[in-house]
Amino acid sequence: MVKWTEEERCTIREVWEKVDVDEIGPQILTRVHIVYPWRETYFGTFGDIFTNTSILNNPKVAHHGKVVLRSIDKAVRIMDRIQETHAALSRLHYECVDPDNFKLLGDCITISIACKLKEALNPQVQAVWQKFLCAVVEAMNSQNK
Amino acid sequence: MSLTAKDKEIVKAFWTKLAPKADDVGADALSRMLAVYPQTKTYFAHWKDLSPGSAPVKKHGKTIMGGVADAVGKIDDLTAGLLNLSELHAFTLRVDPANFKILSHNILVVLAIVFPNEFTPEVHVALDKFLGALSRALAEKYRYPTTRSEPQNEQHFSPPLSISTSKRSSMCWLAAVGICRETHKGTSSKR
């Protein structure tokens, strides 16, 4: 289980308070699909996700981005039990999704948040945020072991 | 994943915006790498101060972005253009190439902060591809026969002295495994 200091908890919550799930969620997933296009393999039911324009205008991509961020919201609210709260999600993705993709998604989450928070995401804040994302990624891979 | 003509156009166009702020971007990216991925500090143990924005960090950030600027100018043939830099990293600095990706990610984070509107997904993918190609060019010389006379089918590995003894031991073991695998290539084996 990951241990958090009170300062780290505050830092993560302060970052998360500035994130609007409806605004940032779609941005994250469009970024993932454009920057890492091989992820299309997992979204066969999403329709046209084969050009940048179609990705940017695809409502299923936007919706799934919000779904992803709502799971992050859960992790922020229950930081001490991330593995437990994400066990079902991990089982859902188990054997379907290459575990490396969660790290790529994490990188795009950081970059989208960087666009929003700008200098507020200083190196110290980024370090704590990265620790949190690593905990979420580990939870998503927990059922692979 | 090679760079298309459009990727190169995007990288060069973005570089003209980035160039005036390159020193600050380099310093910030390096600060973040050291703070967020503390294992990278091992390569800078000789610095007096590794804190974000310190003098050595600023100076080296500027050096790094000088290398990136050079790479932008040689974007049509990064492998040939960065041979000397690759030799420096392979034989003198002995940086594990895995760290190039870590630094690249932090450069992208800083670009997102400094250019939030311009750092669109299309620009992001072009720059990610460019930094990936740059990293591969930097790693080009890592398993290259040197000018010393050595049989080409042997792998030689000597870990840098700055790494702890226990880490060097495990690195030597990994290198030995690599040599054993190379020797037994084609032989079926089970774990």
Side-chain angles (χ1 to χ4, degrees):
Chain A
M1 193 180 80
V2 182
K3 290 195 173 144
W4 306 101
T5 65
E6 205 43 52
E7 193 182 342
E8 285 171 340
R9 291 173 197 276
C10 284
T11 299
I12 292 162
R13 286 183 194 127
E14 279 170 12
V15 167
W16 196 245
E17 271 164 19
K18 299 179 176 77
V19 174
D20 179 339
V21 166
D22 290 339
E23 177 198 0
I24 305 292
Q27 290 176 15
I28 286 166
L29 218 60
T30 53
R31 210 171 266 279
V32 164
H33 280 295
I34 290 172
V35 180
Y36 308 110
W38 54 92
R39 282 189 45 119
E40 287 160 10
T41 192
Y42 300 119
F43 298 97
T45 59
F46 276 31
D48 186 2
I49 48 170
F50 306 114
T51 65
N52 292 353
T53 308
S54 59
I55 291 167
L56 287 162
N57 294 311
N58 189 306
K60 289 187 177 180
V61 169
H63 174 72
H64 196 68
K66 296 177 197 177
V67 166
V68 167
L69 282 201
R70 284 187 199 118
S71 80
I72 303 276
D73 180 67
K74 205 173 182 182
V76 172
R77 285 186 288 109
I78 315 177
M79 250 179 265
D80 293 316
R81 287 164 40 213
I82 295 178
Q83 286 233 353
E84 197 181 310
T85 56
H86 282 64
L89 256 183
S90 178
R91 278 192 295 275
L92 182 67
H93 289 81
Y94 173 56
E95 285 187 348
C96 303
V97 176
D98 185 328
D100 279 350
N101 284 282
F102 298 130
K103 194 191 163 306
L104 298 180
L105 177 59
D107 286 349
C108 282
I109 290 173
T110 299
I111 284 173
S112 294
I113 287 180
C115 286
K116 178 74 179 177
L117 269 62
K118 304 187 192 66
E119 286 80 13
L121 189 76
N122 62 42
Q124 292 82 357
V125 169
Q126 186 187 341
V128 175
W129 179 251
Q130 184 65 27
K131 180 180 170 181
F132 170 73
L133 276 181
C134 285
V136 175
V137 167
E138 195 182 327
M140 287 302 295
N141 287 326
S142 62
Q143 299 300 304
N144 283 344
K145 294 168 192 166
Chain B
M1 280 181 272
S2 53
L3 296 169
T4 64
K6 187 167 178 210
D7 291 330
K8 293 177 189 177
E9 194 186 302
I10 291 173
V11 168
K12 287 176 188 172
F14 194 82
W15 184 258
T16 60
K17 293 186 184 108
L18 166 57
K21 302 183 183 189
D23 292 354
D24 290 337
V25 167
D28 196 4
L30 188 58
S31 294
R32 285 168 193 277
M33 184 184 83
L34 295 169
V36 182
Y37 304 91
Q39 70 271 22
T40 58
K41 288 181 181 177
T42 188
Y43 296 104
F44 307 99
H46 53 288
W47 286 358
K48 281 186 186 164
D49 186 356
L50 274 77
S51 58
S54 67
V57 168
K58 278 186 180 171
K59 185 178 171 202
H60 197 61
K62 184 176 173 180
T63 301
I64 288 169
M65 292 312 278
V68 175
D70 191 38
V72 173
K74 295 169 180 171
I75 201 169
D76 291 321
D77 192 349
L78 287 169
T79 304
L82 301 183
L83 267 181
N84 290 341
L85 215 49
S86 178
E87 283 196 356
L88 175 70
H89 284 77
F91 302 125
T92 307
L93 302 176
R94 312 274 191 136
V95 176
D96 186 326
N99 293 288
F100 299 151
K101 184 144 179 47
I102 294 176
L103 180 57
S104 296
H105 169 67
N106 284 287
I107 290 173
L108 295 175
V109 169
V110 175
L111 295 181
I113 288 170
V114 177
F115 302 101
N117 299 321
E118 294 90 334
F119 197 68
T120 61
E122 291 85 350
V123 169
H124 180 170
V125 65
L127 285 169
D128 192 49
K129 285 175 75 177
F130 167 66
L131 290 173
L134 197 165
S135 300
R136 285 192 298 279
L138 274 187
E140 174 67 20
K141 285 291 207 174
Y142 272 66
R143 288 178 181 169
Y144 204 83
T146 66
T147 52
R148 294 175 293 172
S149 53
E150 291 169 325
Q152 295 220 356
N153 60 351
E154 278 186 39
Q155 291 187 23
H156 290 265
F157 183 88
S158 56
L161 294 173
S162 61
I163 289 182
S164 68
T165 308
S166 58
K167 193 169 179 186
R168 267 187 285 152
S169 298
S170 41
M171 286 164 87
C172 283
W173 182 84
L174 286 168
V177 169
I179 290 168
C180 286
R181 282 191 180 145
E182 189 65 32
T183 306
H184 293 95
K185 205 192 284 190
T187 307
S188 63
S189 60
K190 287 181 184 178
R191 288 196 171 184

